[in-house]
Amino acid sequence: MSFKSLGLSELLLKALQKKGYETPTPIQEKAIPKILEKKDILASAQTGTGKTAGFTLPMLQLLSMGQQYRKRPVRCLILTPTRELAAQVYEDVKTYSEFVDIRSTVIFGGVNAKPQIRTLRQGVDVLVATPGRLLDLHNQNELSLSKVEILVLDEADRMLDMGFLRDIRKILSLLPTRRQNLLFSATFSKEIKNLAGSFLHNPVLVEATPENTTAEKVNQIVYRLDKGKKTSLVIKLITEGNWSQVLIFTRTKHGANRLSQKLDQANISSAAIHGNKSQGARTKALAGFKAGNIRVLVATDIAARGLDIPLLPHVVNYELPNIPEDYVHRIGRTGRAGASGEAISLVSVDENEYVRAIEKLLNQKLQSEILEGFEPTETLKEVLDKKEENKANQNRGRSQRKPNTGRNNKSGGNNRRGGRR
């Protein structure tokens, strides 16, 4: 099957040809014709399946064929959970709209809003946004959603995981009642089904892969070892395997920073990205990683979605996530677009229950190995006792450093923080 057979216009086919794409992926085959028929879509699609083009191409065609406005109000709104994903969806929209008269922009938090506002005032047809910044600018009367014809919720399950349900419902209330709705999600939880049922009209169900499955071409391995040996094993795997591009996931921001420092000390170039990093620092780190200037990207789950890194060969779970669905999203960074990849999980004894939860979700047993020199010796009780001891030491240190808050000072003012930023 070709893209032309899906009903796309010559101008969009020209953009695809320039990009070097010839054959649509399964999600594109199924979604594009239905979207062109102006149907609401409920799509289950893993990362790396080509879903962004699956909704971007028909959306651009519908907009280019629809009513044109002189001042270009927002006619398509694409909501994403993270800044990185918003930026990458916007890049795709720009790429595919090169030969059609469609103007687009992206807005997200963590950066100065003034340039975003200037672009919005000039008029855009397609707006890619994260929920928080969208509501901020709408509350400032800097954008109107009264002319939106198409709404896309991308990675809706991640948006709910990140606590955006209230924002999404608020945004839905600002949109015209008559519109086309496209919801894309890697998993269909009860919450996702409830959300979909609240605003989708007779949706067509589109599935690219079975729900909660991982890419078939990802080789998944679990290495059992003591917690304190994880850094040494990561360094050994990267060095001896001569890995040139590795994405490593940690559970905490501080853990990401610590591991990145240890890798740098071992002469392995790395960068950490997480919520405490500025948007500029995150963008710079991701660009360096893609360009090959940075060998290892250490990330928290904020980067589990939306990182579009072609042919990424290795993903390492330095620590397993406590939500099994997040494992699916993490390892979905590799084995994309038909390429093979490897997902390695370093598992200490206190993470065994996470392994069981992941295996239950995937309905498969993960391959488990023990490497020579890294044989696990710790018992669960020893690890838990050590955790409690570390926590007690941290609390003791904090109480010793605690400054005088001035609570007894009757003149102390109201220190409540300001509104949303």
Side-chain angles (χ1 to χ4, degrees), residues 26-219:
I27 189 70
Q28 293 162 0
E29 276 186 32
K30 296 173 183 177
I32 290 173
K34 296 300 180 185
I35 296 173
L36 289 175
E37 291 172 14
K38 300 190 177 180
K39 304 275 190 185
D40 278 15
I41 295 289
L42 177 58
S44 169
Q46 300 293 338
T47 51
T49 56
K51 65 181 171 62
T52 306
F55 65 74
T56 299
L57 290 163
M59 171 268 292
L60 289 170
Q61 181 153 322
L62 291 174
L63 293 182
S64 61
M65 292 167 58
Q67 182 180 351
Q68 304 301 308
Y69 297 85
R70 187 170 59 85
K71 291 192 175 180
R72 292 186 187 264
V74 176
R75 291 191 289 145
C76 175
L77 173 64
I78 304 173
L79 284 179
T80 73
T82 65
R83 306 165 189 175
E84 285 79 12
L85 181 58
Q88 286 165 14
V89 170
Y90 170 57
E91 286 302 317
D92 282 347
V93 171
K94 277 202 307 182
T95 297
Y96 299 130
S97 62
E98 181 179 354
F99 304 109
V100 293
D101 184 22
I102 296 292
R103 199 179 294 167
S104 58
T105 195
V106 61
I107 60 172
F108 46 70
V111 295
N112 190 339
K114 287 181 180 178
Q116 298 177 356
I117 290 170
R118 279 197 299 272
T119 305
L120 287 169
R121 287 176 178 173
Q122 292 166 7
V124 295
D125 303 287
V126 179
L127 177 62
V128 186
T130 52
R133 179 54 61 93
L134 179 75
L135 287 173
D136 285 344
L137 296 189
H138 185 274
N139 292 338
Q140 294 174 41
N141 294 318
E142 293 296 349
L143 63 88
S144 169
L145 301 174
S146 63
K147 299 291 186 185
V148 170
E149 301 165 18
I150 303 171
L151 168 69
V152 182
L153 288 191
D154 193 14
E155 302 203 346
D157 48 342
R158 185 62 174 170
M159 281 198 262
L160 298 198
D161 290 345
M162 293 174 69
F164 285 132
L165 180 58
R166 182 181 293 181
D167 285 352
I168 290 170
R169 294 204 182 281
K170 173 65 177 172
I171 291 164
L172 289 172
S173 73
L174 301 173
L175 301 174
T177 307
R178 294 190 61 176
R179 63 178 190 271
Q180 184 176 10
N181 303 290
L182 314 175
L183 186 152
F184 287 78
S185 179
T187 59
F188 281 164
S189 63
K190 182 182 175 184
E191 292 77 16
I192 283 292
K193 289 171 182 173
N194 288 340
L195 174 63
S198 70
F199 75 96
L200 295 180
H201 304 290
N202 301 317
V204 175
L205 180 62
V206 175
E207 293 184 274
T209 55
E211 186 177 340
N212 290 334
T213 60
T214 52
E216 290 180 9
K217 295 199 174 184
V218 178
N219 182 33

Side-chain angles (χ1 to χ4, degrees), residues 315-331:
V315 168
V316 176
N317 291 301
Y318 187 83
E319 294 153 322
L320 284 178
N322 52 12
I323 299 171
E325 286 84 0
D326 284 345
Y327 173 84
V328 176
H329 302 313
R330 285 182 179 190
I331 76 167

Side-chain angles (χ1 to χ4, degrees), residues 375-408:
E375 296 85 355
T377 59
E378 293 175 323
T379 65
L380 180 58
K381 184 178 185 306
E382 286 172 341
V383 174
L384 295 179
D385 286 348
K386 199 177 291 184
K387 270 186 180 178
E388 286 302 315
E389 185 182 337
N390 290 339
K391 194 182 293 183
N393 289 337
Q394 287 171 0
N395 290 338
R396 200 176 298 120
R398 272 198 289 268
S399 64
Q400 289 172 353
R401 294 194 304 270
K402 194 172 182 180
N404 183 358
T405 58
R407 285 197 174 195
N408 296 326

Side-chain angles (χ1 to χ4, degrees), residues 258-276:
R258 276 197 306 271
L259 180 56
S260 180
Q261 288 168 2
K262 295 270 181 66
L263 291 170
D264 287 339
Q265 288 165 8
N267 293 319
I268 298 171
S269 58
S270 70
I273 62 169
H274 48 67
N276 281 1

